[in-house]
Each structure stands twice: as structure tokens, then as C-alpha cells.
Amino acid sequence: MHLLEEDQGRCVKADIISTVEFNPTGELLATGDKGGRVVVFQREQESKNQPHRRGEYNVYSTFQSHEPEFDYLKSLEIEEKINKIRWLPQQNAAYFLLSTNDKTVKLWKISERDKRPEGYNLKDEEGRIRDPATITALRVPVLQPMDLMVEATPRRVFSNAHTYHINSISVSNDYETYMSTDDLRINLWNLEITNQSFNIVDIKPANMEELTEVITAAEFHPNQCNTFIYSSSKGSIRLCDMRASALCDNHSKFFEEPEDPSNRSFFSEIISSISDVKFSHSGRYLMTRDYLTVKVWDLNMESKPLETYQVHDYLRSKLCSLYENDCIFDKFECVWNGSDSVIMTGSYNNFFRMFDRNTKRDVTLEASRENSKPRAILKPRKVCVGGKRRKDEISVDSLDFSKKILHTAWHPSENIIAVAATNNLYIFQDKVN
């Protein structure tokens, strides 16, 4: 494993990583941060003299994607923080990604240049315009090699379509359309058209006093461009089919686990809010993350989840203090591995959890600088609740709730994971023998 970090000293708020995303081949990895920057890492090619050292990820391109803005009509500042990044499949030598802050989605093109044209007719070598009277012969411009430059250019800006904050974007598998989701509405865009989008879900009540839930995340089905899901703050998931009607206010499937009355508490509603929802690569399952658990649902069974994994059940007794310090509203994400057999999600104290769906084994690992020496092997961590503490265990009372892993990503085909811990990005990979 190795650690990529932006800042050695104390953490600057702008450096806090707010999203992590591998591209479809896994050759590139993008992070977005609260300062509106996107950093793209590229995997080094395998070198002949060190065949077992599979390629590490190094910085490929850094660019400012969003700037802070001010909405004069509402007297509101619009943060530059990048909420989500989604890659488009590569069609040619360039790469394309979508990035969004609270209000505006941008399509960026990342391309390489290693040649430059020389020998213009109307300009001299310094780029000054020549006097046409002095031009006596025509020259054929030639391409000369130059140092490799990676350029990021904004190709499209999709703005002015959201009243509320955008929490997710998802690209359809037709690669022509994508959707952007805010608290109350989902809009469908064509990647070529920036001045119009179609509203496909609208849960805004006529009277805002009657508002009981908000949309927390949405995603297209991986291989059916007409199907998508969205999750809500009430712990339910709705599957919609765009063939049924243009406005998908009526869902075709509704997934929700009935609450156990014996577990009911003041915090029940808050902790049942779904912070992330992801289709499996196969499209057969979906995974949801709420505050304490990760659940796997079969698309053909709406009544209850197929599997439920406890992420940090030892926090159940601490909900009161987690409510007071606002941690109970943290939005943890969850990811599948390439074969849908293992799922990963984050926790506190820079811990992240992995659950193997076949063996039912689970492990807690820690992303911290102490154990981040290159090729160090991660030791599983254990949290103890009350009673006697073994020497390798950590007490639930000494967990650091300011260190949280909200954003993780898994390489599409290999066992390489990226874990964002505040302003540090950790990349871990399987041990290579």
C-alpha cells in the first residue's frame, strides 16, 4: 500500500477529500475536495526490472473544477466543494469526467499533448502577427515534439437546474444521458445539451410544511438504461422505470425493512436514513448504507434485505453523544468489489470495514499514518465494549470521532482500494507474492 497526501501539517479545510472514484478501467483515480479541486492519479506502467511491483498511482493532473459563487437572488453562498465525480467510459485518447458541487455539473476533458505545431505563415515564432506585406513564401507548418502536457478543459457546464443541493450524479449505460439528484428532484440530462434537462422525479409537496422525507442518493442500473433507484431519508429505496411514464413519481418497486418496535428510540428515524445506495456490477443486487448497517437487497425481493452487516454496532449506546456532536448525520458511502463478493464501508477512528458475502467473515482495518509504510501489512483492529480490554483492542470510549472514513472506492477488476481519511488518500492493494 502507499499513501498519497496533499498536506503534511495540520489539515486545511479546503484539502478535505469529499469524493473518490476510479475510472472504468481502474487506470485512473480521481479525488475531489472541499476546495473545488480535482486531482487525477494515474497508475504507473509495470516496469521490466521490478515485475512484482505493480504500478503505483501518481499525480497525473490537478485542476480547479469549481469556484465559490454567490446566488444574489437568494443571498446564498454556493460552496466550491466537489460532491461527486463520475467517469465516462473512454472512447478515444482523451478521458472525460463529470464533477458537481451543490448546484452545477461540469464535464471535463483530460487530454495529453506532446507535439506542437511550428512554422505558421501569419505569426512569427514568438506568436506576434506578421505584416502580410513581408510574407513572400508559404511555409508548411510541422509538428515538433515537446514535453508531455496534461490539459484539463471544461467541455460542458450544466447549471441552473437545481433549487436544492445536488447529492449525486449517475451516468446511464447508454453513455448519452446522466441524471443529477438533489434533495427533492431528479433531473435527466443529455451529455450534449446544457440548457435543458427533464425532471423525472419530483417529491416536493405543494406545501413545504408537509415535507416528511428527502432524496439522499440515486443511481442508474448498470445495464438497463431505463431503470434507476433512489433512496430516502426515511430508509426506503424506490426502483423506477422510465418506460412507464416520463415523470417517475410512481415507483415500480419499493424496498423497505419494517422497523422492529422493540428497537424504537428517539434516534430511530435519523439512523435509518440511507446515506448511499449502489447497484452491484451484475445489476442483480443493491446495497444501502445507513448509520449503523450495510444491507444487501435482491432486486426480486422487496420485503426485506437479503443480508444485513453491522458496521459499528458498539455505537448504539453512544447515539446521544453522537447526536450532540452532529456525527449522527455523517453520510458514509459503501462500495462493491469487482466481483460483488466483498463490500466495504467506512467508520470512525479512521477505521473501515470489509464484509465477505461468501464466507460471512468481516474485518476492521485502519487507514492511519502510523501503519502507512509502503508494503506494510494491515493488521485487523478490534473495538471492545466494556469489560476487560485486551492489549490489541481499542476501547469504544477512546475512538476519535473527528477521524472518519466517508469516501472509499474499489478498483473495477483488481483488489486495489482507495480510502479517503480527511485530507489523506490511502491506496491499499493485495499482497503480491
Side-chain angles (χ1 to χ4, degrees), residues 231-328:
S231 58
S232 91
S233 56
K234 273 195 159 172
S236 58
I237 309 108
R238 291 170 175 83
L239 180 96
C240 301
D241 187 340
M242 290 191 287
R243 294 171 302 187
S245 68
L247 190 62
C248 301
D249 280 357
N250 295 323
H251 47 265
S252 46
K253 289 190 176 181
F254 181 79
F255 302 85
E256 187 176 45
E257 185 167 31
E259 196 196 2
D260 176 359
S262 63
N263 274 345
R264 180 117 192 100
S265 76
F266 170 74
F267 305 108
S268 296
E269 201 159 296
I270 304 173
I271 63 171
S272 66
S273 174
I274 292 174
S275 54
D276 196 18
V277 58
K278 293 266 173 44
F279 274 108
S280 62
H281 295 80
S282 66
R284 170 73 193 270
Y285 303 103
L286 48 101
M287 164 167 59
T288 59
R289 169 75 209 255
D290 57 40
Y291 191 64
L292 294 176
T293 65
V294 173
K295 293 173 180 161
V296 174
W297 303 75
D298 187 319
L299 276 194
N300 301 324
M301 185 169 82
E302 297 166 60
S303 55
K304 62 176 198 287
L306 207 57
E307 301 151 24
T308 299
Y309 301 98
Q310 299 296 337
V311 178
H312 36 217
D313 204 44
Y314 46 79
L315 296 183
R316 213 175 270 280
S317 59
K318 295 251 175 288
L319 292 177
C320 203
S321 53
L322 290 163
Y323 178 76
E324 283 163 9
N325 65 13
D326 276 353
C327 284
I328 202 166

Side-chain angles (χ1 to χ4, degrees), residues 2 13 76 101 104 132 134 146 176 183 192 220-221 233 252 258-259 267 297 318 323 340 355 383 386 418 420:
H2 57 291
K13 181 172 178 266
L76 276 182
N101 68 347
T104 303
T134 64
M146 59 178 254
E176 288 178 13
D183 297 341
E192 301 294 323
F220 268 116
H221 191 285
S233 56
S252 46
E259 196 196 2
F267 305 108
W297 303 75
K318 295 251 175 288
Y323 178 76
D340 300 333
F355 303 95
V383 177

Side-chain angles (χ1 to χ4, degrees), residues 201-217:
V201 171
D202 186 349
I203 66 164
K204 185 182 178 189
N207 176 7
M208 281 295 269
E209 310 254 306
E210 292 163 12
L211 183 68
T212 58
E213 63 180 334
V214 294
I215 302 171
T216 54

Side-chain angles (χ1 to χ4, degrees), residues 103-116:
K103 298 286 180 194
T104 303
V105 184
K106 294 185 180 180
L107 174 68
W108 287 89
K109 176 185 182 182
I110 301 166
S111 52
E112 294 183 356
R113 249 202 2 210
D114 59 357
K115 290 185 176 60
R116 65 163 182 264

Side-chain angles (χ1 to χ4, degrees), residues 3-19:
L3 158 71
L4 304 160
E5 54 194 325
E6 265 115 40
D7 159 310
Q8 285 286 353
R10 67 195 171 73
C11 170
V12 184
K13 181 172 178 266
D15 291 338
I16 295 174
I17 298 172
S18 51
T19 183

